[in-house]
Amino acid sequence: MVLEATMICIDNSEWMRNGDYAPSRFQAQADAVNFISGAKTQSNPENTVGILTMAGKGVRVLVTPTSDLGKILACMHGLEIGGEANLAAAIQVAQLALKHRQNKKQQQRIIVFVGSPVKHDKKQLEVIGRKLKKNSVALDIVNFGEDDEGKTEKLEALRAAVDNNDTSHIVHIPPGSDALSDVLISTPIFTGDEGGSGFAAAAAAAAAGGVSGFEFGVDPNLDPELALALRVSMEEERARQEAAAKKAAEEAGKQEQSSSQDATMTDSTSQASTKKTDLTDEENAVLQQALQMSMDEHPSGHDAQDTDMSDVAIDDPELALALQLSVQDSAKDSSGQSSDMGKLLADQSFVSSILASLPGVDPNDPSVKDLLASMQNQQSEKQDKGEEKGPKEEKK
């Protein structure tokens, strides 16, 4: 495949308004330019194409050599038509643009569409042609539209001055029903110097209207606006999908982080509750054990003392006899005290003197006398019971 950098010169003069080429000269030329640009970029991925205009306010470069077909198709919209084409200046500007190409290994080629009269003389064009040949720049000329007497001759002289080993070509297309692109497809401008290469195959596929060789299934040469719109829409959709995927990934990361934090908090809470439960169980067990030990050591105060005393009595009979005597002495003391109390109550003069000494108490009051009499009766009954109990115990 040929590696080329191509500059296409467009004729946008007043003559492009004519309708002898359907739908107009300019529109037929624009379709052919799009067709050539697509074929060039498809023949080799490293090929570049640039566009410039020859009329209007002057020669103007629309796109420097690039492999982006979208830029090439976009620059063709909204071009102003007017003025006269300056062929000599356009060729020189195109040569300068090719000189500053990024890949110096690319071969240089200029394609000129001439649809208006040529005002330059033959010698001036031959000088420009020889300069192109010296700089190894090939030139292809598409002659259509106005056909004055000197136009074809001038263009042929220009091609002859540039041509080096049949690398430059010229095509004359008369007015008719055929489109410019349909005529150019069989010329060396499309097929290239090698003929039948990938460049020619791409051009043939484009001419046949096959959608398999074009992005989005749309031929940019037939409908450049639709192809550009589809490309822009695809880029916007890709950007939107990338943004949505990035946002979804960020939300998933946040959710995962929050869930991990919740799980950590739950684990720590469960561990703390487990430790607390274990500690409570241990404390309860210790308390129960201490309570059981205390109950085993002291089941009841008096019973324990009685048990200890009985055990001692069994082991030491003398100590047991001493304990029994001490109990009897205490009983005698209590009975003696009760008998002394009874004697005091029986002494009426003693009781009367005590009552008289108390303030507000009258010993002769009937209620006081009845109380003393009842107390004496109760004391006498206790003494009688004690006397009866004493002989019985002596008999045992």
Side-chain angles (χ1 to χ4, degrees), residues 73-88:
L73 298 177
C75 76
M76 297 297 297
H77 298 283
L79 292 179
E80 296 180 359
I81 298 176
E84 297 182 355
N86 190 344
L87 179 60

Side-chain angles (χ1 to χ4, degrees), residues 15-25 144-146 174-178:
W15 281 266
M16 293 300 101
R17 301 182 187 274
N18 294 342
D20 51 353
Y21 294 86
S24 65
R25 287 187 184 182
F144 68 104
E146 299 298 325
S177 58
D178 295 335

Side-chain angles (χ1 to χ4, degrees), residues 154-383:
K154 293 177 182 179
L155 293 177
E156 287 286 353
L158 175 60
R159 187 203 69 83
V162 178
D163 187 30
N164 183 13
N165 298 325
D166 199 18
T167 56
S168 301
H169 315 91
I170 185 171
V171 178
H172 303 280
I173 304 177
S177 58
D178 295 335
L180 294 182
S181 58
D182 294 340
V183 177
L184 291 174
I185 190 173
S186 58
T187 63
I189 297 177
F190 268 73
T191 58
D193 297 333
E194 297 180 358
S197 62
F199 171 46
V211 297
S212 61
F214 299 102
E215 190 176 11
F216 316 116
V218 177
D219 185 357
N221 302 302
L222 299 178
D223 196 347
E225 295 181 357
L226 178 59
L228 179 60
L230 290 174
R231 179 186 292 274
V232 173
S233 177
M234 183 196 68
E235 293 177 355
E236 291 178 352
E237 179 65 18
R238 183 184 294 111
R240 186 188 66 80
Q241 291 179 358
E242 291 177 356
K246 183 178 180 180
K247 184 178 180 180
E250 292 178 355
E251 291 179 355
K254 291 181 180 179
Q255 292 179 359
E256 183 178 357
Q257 184 177 3
S258 61
S259 61
S260 62
Q261 291 178 355
D262 294 340
T264 303
M265 293 178 64
T266 304
D267 294 340
S268 61
T269 304
S270 61
Q271 291 177 1
S273 61
T274 303
K275 291 181 179 178
K276 184 176 181 181
T277 304
D278 296 340
L279 181 60
T280 304
D281 294 341
E282 292 178 359
E283 292 178 352
N284 291 334
V286 172
L287 291 176
Q288 291 179 1
Q289 185 178 3
L291 180 60
Q292 186 66 31
M293 292 175 65
S294 64
M295 292 177 63
D296 293 341
E297 292 176 358
H298 305 286
S300 62
H302 298 290
D303 295 342
Q305 292 178 1
D306 295 341
T307 304
D308 294 340
M309 290 175 67
S310 61
D311 293 340
V312 172
I314 294 172
D315 295 336
D316 193 350
E318 296 180 357
L319 180 58
L321 179 59
L323 290 174
Q324 186 176 1
L325 292 175
S326 64
V327 171
Q328 293 178 356
D329 293 338
S330 61
K332 290 180 180 181
D333 293 339
S334 61
S335 61
Q337 290 177 359
S338 61
S339 61
D340 292 339
M341 183 61 65
K343 291 179 180 180
L344 291 175
L345 291 175
D347 190 355
Q348 294 182 357
S349 61
F350 178 72
V351 174
S352 298
S353 63
I354 292 175
L355 293 175
S357 63
L358 295 175
V361 178
D362 185 7
N364 297 321
D365 190 358
S367 60
V368 174
K369 291 181 179 181
D370 294 338
L371 177 61
L372 291 174
S374 63
M375 291 176 64
Q376 291 175 358
N377 293 331
Q378 291 177 0
Q379 188 66 30
S380 62
E381 289 178 358
K382 289 182 180 180
Q383 291 178 0

